[in-house]
Every structure is written in structure tokens, then in C-alpha cells.
Amino acid sequence: MSSLKGYAGRILYVDLTRGKYWTEELPESVVKAYVGGNGLAAHLLWNLISEEVDPLSPENPLIVATGPATGALSPSSGRFAVVTKSPLTGAWGESHAGGFLGPQIKYAGYDFLVITGRSPKPVTLVVDDGSVVLRDSHDLWGLSTADTTDELRGVVGSDYHVMCIGPAGEKLVKFASVMVDYYRAFGRTGVGAVMGSKRLKAVAVRGGKDVVVHDPDRYIEVLEDFLWRNTEGPWAFPAQASLGRFGTPCLVTAMNAIGRLPTKNHWTGYWERAEEISGEELLKYRVSRGSCFSCMIMCKHITRVDDGVYAGAMSGGPEYESVAALGSNLLIHDIKAVIYMNTLCNLYGLDTISTGKAISFLFECYEKGLVEKKNVDGLEPVWGNAETAVELIKAIAERRGIGDLLAEGVRKASEVLGHRTRHYALHVKGLEVSAQDPRAHKSVGCTWAISVRGADHLRSLTTVDELGYRDIATERFGPVMTDAICDRLTEKYKGVVVKDQEDLFALVDSIIMCKYGTMWPPMYYFDFIAKLLPPLTGIKEFSDVKYLRLTAERIANLKRCFNLREGVGRESETLPQRFTEEPMPTGPSKGHTCNLEPMLREYYSQRGWDYESGLPYEETLKRLELNQAADALKRRYRLPRWERGSG
């Protein structure tokens, strides 16, 4: 039995090809080096596959990860992660979801589920404490995510928590999602397609074990601090007045106010009709408010449409990213249509961000005359046409007609449609861009470019510069940098901020905690984590902020090494020309473009990487005790050394 506290101490391995499973203990040395969650999953993925593995092959593992905070009543700790090699980008794949399933995995006695192979027939993995069963699920194949969850719970029990794919995952749509308990989503990087390639329809988990805490009295003191921060502290009211009341769609109005709301395939960042899809407008359709496990912000809302052509639509959220991707991004101002499209994406199991950007890509190509009417299946793909957008969602999920091409993602679609369409395919590393704009918030450009999974807002997006938190900027980076850092429209020092935030998030995603509490409001930083982890785990090294920062750097570097081993490196760290060459045409950020290179140079310098090649210096990897990664990269690259590097 494992002596680790705060962890279940075991990894459950499942080989779908052979129908076998086994468990292995979680090594304490690896826990100390990578904490858990995202970090330890990076260690597992690095060692489980080579660079030659096809993401949709049986050899690509699907790793379901929890962290030490999961299930232990830690702040905002309902989230868990899926890590794999992405079929959309061919690089690092990772997605996170909230809810209650993550804690159930810990209560069932596991920190990680590592699923490999390919079942000869559709199956569901059912985990109930020590019982592990692969259940024949041919009867579920073809069902929506909601019907799958209903049917499965009807068989195994309503107290099981379920993650499953819909028809999009079965048909290997490259940005298929995995839905959790109806309304939570592992949205990004196509993890649903990996699950579909394994013929794994669902995972159902129920657990009844305890999470043993090292020092309960000290741990409760930390939780009392967490309670104060969320109910009486300086961020308590702002969090409840925004996220608590409206959910993440509260951002629609705020982003439009600074010219950062994606509008018309990111042509601009300001939309005169934004109020029609705002959090205030969505509130009219809210039928329930809830939270993930152990969260006091409670930003999860459920909305329903009761009348009109979209009557019956009911979904979690939609979240800000979905509202922007399916609303302003397509110039669709009918909030009922947005709720309906979000519902469709969830039922089919599609990432709303990539789906919305694939549709806006087609709309703009059609507008520019780069796609002919005869090639769009009789549809009218013009801005604001909700009826066509709905049909395209169905076509993508079912891989019909033009939808079959869009299902490959905008990078691949533009390669097929011709080089003139590439300008309108907005992605980084193959991942469609999220709902920010680097012209209105310069550090976003660096965040998108360096993120290992592509144009992603959740690996290093910072609000310190966006909202101008001077006290926090001074505390974290010193008074000399404060003025520049708090100016969101200058690139200066943004490489420093992005590196710091990426390290913080590497740790947060390994613990695992929610971004709400760390990204915004910025309540938890390295010093809080150093108070949280020791009484929970008993690992004294975790009380040292320097140790935690070094660990965070190790995790961030190992994920980059994974991409470099796949051949995804410096050349991929660019932005779509829309953001670097087209000045923002309207709104509060009018006239701005994003100058990426100074931020990249600053970021690489902070990381200890060579600017010209984007490769880590050999000394950097040795300092982080990533010698195995260094040796692997030497087989592909001439790894630079500090004394001959450009700095």
C-alpha cells in the first residue's frame, strides 16, 4: 500500500486491445519531481510513446489525470485532465474539465487512468473501487453524449459519473470533445477523436475510498484561509458579482469594451451588437446555477430555450469562449441560436471553439470568393446566417460534404482549398485560436505562440497586464517593470509575464486547481501553493517556493521537449497574419497590430532557450534534471550550449 498522503498512490493501466488491466504504485520520486496531474502526465506520456506514433493509433495513450488537490476539498479542485498526443496538431494534446468525476477517480483508489490499445468492439470502462470492467457498448455507439450518459447510468447506477464521446468522436472529427456528466467538456485538441479511435465510448467511475491528509489540523487552517478569501476577502465580491452572477459570459461586455471580442472571424475586436449575446442577456435563459467540486465561485450555469424555432435547447453555459466562437465570431446576435448551437456541439461531442472558427473560416472564404457555392452543399455560408451555421455543425459531426473537410480543422482545410485561403485559417500549430485578440492584449500573442498545444488561452493567459493590477505587478516583477507590464497595448516585458504565468499554470494544472482563483481573480500564487501542499502531502520540499518554481519550469520544459521530439519547434511559434499585419480596423484598440518577435526574444531569454533555434540550452535541461529529454533531443538536433548561444 502506498505511503503517499494526498494521493491515492496508484495508476490504473488498461489495455483495450487485450482487454487487460493492472495497477502500479505511484513512485514517490516522480511525485516530488512532477507533483501530479498535468506534470506527472507529461512524464508518463514522454516515456510511453515515441515520436513516430500516430495520434489515432492504438499506441497513443489516453491519460486521465488527477492531482493531489483532487477530492481533498482544496480550493476550486473539481477539475481533472486528459493528456495525449493530439490528432489535430500532431503535438502535445491536453484538455481539462470540471465537475465531480475527477474526485471519484481518487475515491476509487487511482490518481491516473492510462488507457492504451484499441478494443475490437465499442466498450465502456467501468471503475468501481477495486472493480474494473470493460462493458460491451455496441448499444451506445451512435448515441449522443446525453443519451449515452442516460443509458449508461440506467445500467450501472445513477451514482456513477460519466465521461463519454458522441458521434463526432466516433467519426474521428479532429476536434471532437469528451463530455463529462452532460455539461462539462474536455474540449480542446481532439481528445474525443483519440477516445473514438480506441472504440472507447465512455468511462464511468464511482469511488468510496478516502483521501488521507498528512496533517489535518494544518490543512484545515489553509482551507479556512481559502474560505475567507472567497467570502470576505477583497476578491470575494468582484468574483460573485461577475463570475458568480453571470458565469464566464460576463466577459462578453468586458472584452468588447477593450476591443478584444472576436468578431467576424477575428476581423475586429469590437461589435456594436455585443450586448445581445452578453451575460446579462443569457441570464434570462438560466434555469439553474451550480458549481464544480469544492468551489465557492459557482460559475456554472444551465440555460434553456422554451420557445421559438430553438425551443428545447438546453446546455451547460454556454461559456464565454462558446458565446464568442458561435456568436460574435459569426455575427450571430440571436442568443437563442447560440444556446442551440452550443447544445448541438455538446450532444455531438464537438469543441465549440474549433467548431466556431471552422465555420467562420468557411464564411470568410465564401465572402472572398475562394469557395464556390457548388462546393457548400446548397448552403448559404454568409455572416449572421444561424440556419447555415447549425447545418454546418451537423455536417462536421457527421462528416458530410463540406463538413467532412472542416472536420479536419482549419489548417488542413486551407491546405486543400488553396493557399489564398490560408490567411483566413486562424490557428497556431493547427489549433484554432481562442476568444482573445493579440492586437488588443499584446501578451496574448506570446501566449498563443509559445503554448505547447497551440493558440490556447489556458496555459499562460494573464490578467495582471490586461486589467492593470499595479500592486500585483510590482509585487511579482518589481517597480521598474510595473508601468510597462500594466499597459496591455505594449509588448515590453510581456515575455517576462508570460513565462511567469506559464510556470504558475504548469503547477496549478498539476495540483490540479481551477484557473478561476489563479488567472482571475489572482488570489492564489506560488506562496499559497507552498502553504497548501505540505499539510496535504507531507512532502517538505513543497513548502519551498524556489523548489515549486523549479518544478514548474521542469514541467513546462518537458512538454516543450515533447513537441520538439515531434518536430514541432521554433518555426511553429508564429501568429496568423491577421494579428501581425492587419491593424485592428474598429473599436477601442483600433490601429494596433501585434509585434511578436520582441516578446518571443524576451520569453526565450527568460526560459534559457536559444532565440534562433528555439531549442533549450543543454545547461537549461541539466539544471532542470531533464537529462533523458536532452539525450533524446540530441538525436534530432544539435542542442545549443550557453557559451556559444545568442542568449
Side-chain angles (χ1 to χ4, degrees), residues 124-138:
T124 291
L125 173 63
V126 182
V127 180
D128 180 12
D129 285 343
S131 170
V132 179
V133 175
L134 288 173
R135 177 189 177 277
D136 186 336
S137 292
H138 73 277

Side-chain angles (χ1 to χ4, degrees), residues 80-318:
F80 64 126
V82 169
V83 173
T84 188
K85 184 176 177 181
S86 168
L88 182 62
T89 67
W92 174 266
E94 167 189 354
S95 196
H96 294 241
F100 294 82
L101 199 156
Q104 289 297 315
I105 293 173
K106 285 280 286 287
Y107 298 154
Y110 307 104
D111 296 292
F112 296 85
L113 312 179
V114 179
I115 304 167
T116 60
R118 175 181 293 153
S119 172
K121 58 186 178 183
V123 292
T124 291
L125 173 63
V126 182
V127 180
D128 180 12
D129 285 343
S131 170
V132 179
V133 175
L134 288 173
R135 177 189 177 277
D136 186 336
S137 292
H138 73 277
D139 55 329
L140 303 179
W141 205 250
L143 296 185
S144 72
T145 58
D147 288 343
T148 298
T149 305
D150 283 341
E151 292 291 326
L152 192 54
R153 283 182 164 174
V155 174
V156 300
S158 59
D159 54 343
Y160 278 79
H161 292 266
V162 175
M163 54 185 276
C164 65
I165 59 172
E170 296 171 11
K171 292 184 179 297
L172 309 183
V173 173
K174 294 294 176 58
F175 45 85
S177 66
V178 177
M179 295 302 296
V180 182
D181 290 344
Y182 304 102
Y183 300 133
R184 309 286 196 266
F186 289 112
R188 307 237 71 188
T189 68
V191 294
V194 175
M195 202 158 151
S197 74
K198 298 184 176 306
R199 299 195 182 96
L200 180 63
K201 180 66 176 176
V203 177
V205 183
R206 179 177 67 178
K209 300 180 187 298
D210 296 326
V211 174
V212 179
V213 173
H214 169 69
D215 186 339
D217 291 339
R218 280 181 56 210
Y219 189 57
I220 287 174
E221 289 177 9
V222 177
L223 297 189
E224 286 176 344
D225 177 33
F226 155 62
L227 179 66
W228 176 84
R229 292 176 190 233
N230 280 274
T231 56
E232 302 177 52
W235 295 107
F237 176 76
Q240 284 305 315
S242 53
L243 287 171
R245 179 164 172 71
F246 301 107
T248 56
C250 67
L251 291 169
V252 171
T253 302
M255 294 302 101
N256 201 46
I258 63 171
R260 211 198 74 176
L261 180 69
T263 303
K264 200 180 177 185
N265 200 29
H266 288 258
W267 174 71
T268 186
Y270 179 78
W271 194 28
E272 293 80 0
R273 307 192 72 160
E275 289 303 316
E276 296 176 54
I277 59 168
S278 65
E280 289 82 352
E281 190 64 23
L282 267 172
L283 206 57
K284 299 174 183 175
Y285 301 90
R286 188 176 81 184
V287 295
S288 178
R289 178 190 172 195
S291 77
C292 298
F293 181 90
S294 191
C295 178
M296 301 186 71
I297 293 177
M298 296 180 66
C299 70
K300 296 305 177 188
H301 297 184
I302 296 175
T303 51
R304 184 179 66 207
V305 177
D306 291 326
D307 57 8
V309 67
Y310 302 115
M314 184 169 171
S315 71

Side-chain angles (χ1 to χ4, degrees), residues 476-477 496-504 525-526 549:
R476 294 183 181 180
F477 307 105
V496 177
V497 175
V498 167
K499 186 267 183 185
D500 182 77
Q501 195 78 350
E502 187 183 32
D503 283 348
L504 177 63
Y525 197 51
F526 290 97
R549 282 186 174 275

